[in-house]
mmCIF file of all heavy atoms in Angstrom:
data_model
loop_
_atom_site.group_PDB
_atom_site.id
_atom_site.type_symbol
_atom_site.label_atom_id
_atom_site.label_comp_id
_atom_site.label_asym_id
_atom_site.label_seq_id
_atom_site.Cartn_x
_atom_site.Cartn_y
_atom_site.Cartn_z
ATOM 1 N N ARG A 732 2.744 -6.710 20.697
ATOM 2 C CA ARG A 732 3.578 -7.473 19.726
ATOM 3 C C ARG A 732 4.741 -7.903 20.399
ATOM 4 O O ARG A 732 5.079 -7.520 21.605
ATOM 5 C CB ARG A 732 3.915 -6.661 18.495
ATOM 6 C CG ARG A 732 2.714 -6.257 17.566
ATOM 7 C CD ARG A 732 3.092 -5.397 16.425
ATOM 8 N NE ARG A 732 3.808 -4.218 16.949
ATOM 9 C CZ ARG A 732 5.131 -3.874 16.648
ATOM 10 N NH1 ARG A 732 5.725 -4.810 15.874
ATOM 11 N NH2 ARG A 732 5.710 -2.834 17.028
ATOM 12 N N MET A 733 5.662 -8.744 19.821
ATOM 13 C CA MET A 733 6.997 -8.944 20.306
ATOM 14 C C MET A 733 7.913 -8.826 19.169
ATOM 15 O O MET A 733 7.599 -9.081 18.058
ATOM 16 C CB MET A 733 7.181 -10.222 21.086
ATOM 17 C CG MET A 733 7.404 -11.453 20.404
ATOM 18 S SD MET A 733 7.908 -12.925 21.487
ATOM 19 C CE MET A 733 7.916 -14.247 20.150
ATOM 20 N N SER A 734 9.222 -8.491 19.517
ATOM 21 C CA SER A 734 10.158 -8.363 18.430
ATOM 22 C C SER A 734 10.217 -9.761 17.859
ATOM 23 O O SER A 734 10.225 -10.802 18.578
ATOM 24 C CB SER A 734 11.555 -7.979 19.099
ATOM 25 O OG SER A 734 12.577 -8.284 18.253
ATOM 26 N N GLY A 735 10.578 -9.833 16.555
ATOM 27 C CA GLY A 735 10.777 -11.121 15.873
ATOM 28 C C GLY A 735 11.998 -11.762 16.375
ATOM 29 O O GLY A 735 12.311 -12.932 15.990
ATOM 30 N N THR A 736 12.854 -11.071 17.092
ATOM 31 C CA THR A 736 14.153 -11.520 17.492
ATOM 32 C C THR A 736 14.001 -12.208 18.926
ATOM 33 O O THR A 736 14.900 -12.791 19.483
ATOM 34 C CB THR A 736 15.311 -10.609 17.650
ATOM 35 O OG1 THR A 736 14.842 -9.572 18.746
ATOM 36 C CG2 THR A 736 15.518 -9.870 16.340
ATOM 37 N N ALA A 737 12.731 -12.155 19.466
ATOM 38 C CA ALA A 737 12.506 -12.581 20.818
ATOM 39 C C ALA A 737 11.941 -13.907 20.831
ATOM 40 O O ALA A 737 11.607 -14.588 19.816
ATOM 41 C CB ALA A 737 11.464 -11.687 21.488
ATOM 42 N N TYR A 738 11.748 -14.597 22.020
ATOM 43 C CA TYR A 738 11.400 -15.963 22.148
ATOM 44 C C TYR A 738 10.631 -16.069 23.453
ATOM 45 O O TYR A 738 10.578 -15.256 24.323
ATOM 46 C CB TYR A 738 12.532 -17.017 22.109
ATOM 47 C CG TYR A 738 13.647 -16.493 22.998
ATOM 48 C CD1 TYR A 738 13.655 -16.926 24.430
ATOM 49 C CD2 TYR A 738 14.584 -15.549 22.637
ATOM 50 C CE1 TYR A 738 14.622 -16.404 25.333
ATOM 51 C CE2 TYR A 738 15.672 -15.021 23.486
ATOM 52 C CZ TYR A 738 15.607 -15.521 24.833
ATOM 53 O OH TYR A 738 16.502 -15.086 25.711
ATOM 54 N N GLY A 739 10.013 -17.347 23.617
ATOM 55 C CA GLY A 739 9.414 -17.709 24.853
ATOM 56 C C GLY A 739 7.971 -18.012 24.502
ATOM 57 O O GLY A 739 7.325 -17.978 23.351
ATOM 58 N N THR A 740 7.210 -18.507 25.499
ATOM 59 C CA THR A 740 5.810 -18.950 25.523
ATOM 60 C C THR A 740 4.851 -17.668 25.604
ATOM 61 O O THR A 740 4.357 -17.390 26.774
ATOM 62 C CB THR A 740 5.468 -20.053 26.444
ATOM 63 O OG1 THR A 740 6.502 -21.085 26.298
ATOM 64 C CG2 THR A 740 4.114 -20.708 26.220
ATOM 65 N N VAL A 741 4.750 -16.958 24.543
ATOM 66 C CA VAL A 741 4.191 -15.568 24.613
ATOM 67 C C VAL A 741 2.958 -15.580 23.647
ATOM 68 O O VAL A 741 3.108 -15.727 22.565
ATOM 69 C CB VAL A 741 5.337 -14.555 24.203
ATOM 70 C CG1 VAL A 741 4.768 -13.257 24.403
ATOM 71 C CG2 VAL A 741 6.658 -14.796 25.049
ATOM 72 N N VAL A 742 1.818 -15.184 24.356
ATOM 73 C CA VAL A 742 0.594 -15.040 23.562
ATOM 74 C C VAL A 742 0.464 -13.557 23.165
ATOM 75 O O VAL A 742 0.528 -12.680 24.164
ATOM 76 C CB VAL A 742 -0.597 -15.463 24.386
ATOM 77 C CG1 VAL A 742 -1.846 -15.162 23.626
ATOM 78 C CG2 VAL A 742 -0.447 -17.048 24.687
ATOM 79 N N LEU A 743 0.392 -13.328 21.930
ATOM 80 C CA LEU A 743 0.515 -11.954 21.475
ATOM 81 C C LEU A 743 -0.847 -11.434 20.772
ATOM 82 O O LEU A 743 -1.626 -12.374 20.344
ATOM 83 C CB LEU A 743 1.617 -11.766 20.573
ATOM 84 C CG LEU A 743 2.943 -12.088 21.219
ATOM 85 C CD1 LEU A 743 3.961 -12.377 20.016
ATOM 86 C CD2 LEU A 743 3.641 -10.983 22.023
ATOM 87 N N HIS A 744 -0.961 -10.332 20.436
ATOM 88 C CA HIS A 744 -1.926 -9.585 19.477
ATOM 89 C C HIS A 744 -3.351 -10.001 20.005
ATOM 90 O O HIS A 744 -4.291 -10.014 19.175
ATOM 91 C CB HIS A 744 -1.828 -10.222 18.105
ATOM 92 C CG HIS A 744 -0.470 -10.125 17.469
ATOM 93 N ND1 HIS A 744 -0.025 -10.567 16.262
ATOM 94 C CD2 HIS A 744 0.820 -9.605 18.016
ATOM 95 C CE1 HIS A 744 1.141 -10.380 16.092
ATOM 96 N NE2 HIS A 744 1.633 -9.805 17.092
ATOM 97 N N THR A 745 -3.671 -10.163 21.187
ATOM 98 C CA THR A 745 -5.043 -10.497 21.825
ATOM 99 C C THR A 745 -6.001 -9.473 21.345
ATOM 100 O O THR A 745 -5.674 -8.294 21.551
ATOM 101 C CB THR A 745 -4.868 -10.679 23.237
ATOM 102 O OG1 THR A 745 -3.808 -11.473 23.715
ATOM 103 C CG2 THR A 745 -6.191 -10.958 23.867
ATOM 104 N N ALA A 746 -6.977 -9.921 20.681
ATOM 105 C CA ALA A 746 -7.998 -8.997 20.141
ATOM 106 C C ALA A 746 -9.396 -9.412 20.584
ATOM 107 O O ALA A 746 -9.777 -10.530 20.545
ATOM 108 C CB ALA A 746 -7.945 -8.906 18.684
ATOM 109 N N PRO A 747 -10.275 -8.444 20.715
ATOM 110 C CA PRO A 747 -9.881 -7.051 20.905
ATOM 111 C C PRO A 747 -8.987 -6.692 21.978
ATOM 112 O O PRO A 747 -9.036 -7.402 22.974
ATOM 113 C CB PRO A 747 -11.312 -6.248 21.057
ATOM 114 C CG PRO A 747 -12.309 -7.341 20.802
ATOM 115 C CD PRO A 747 -11.647 -8.622 21.070
#
Side-chain angles (χ1 to χ4, degrees):
R732 297 175 302 117
M733 86 172 172
S734 164
T736 64
Y738 50 88
T740 310
V741 187
V742 177
L743 302 156
H744 311 179
T745 303

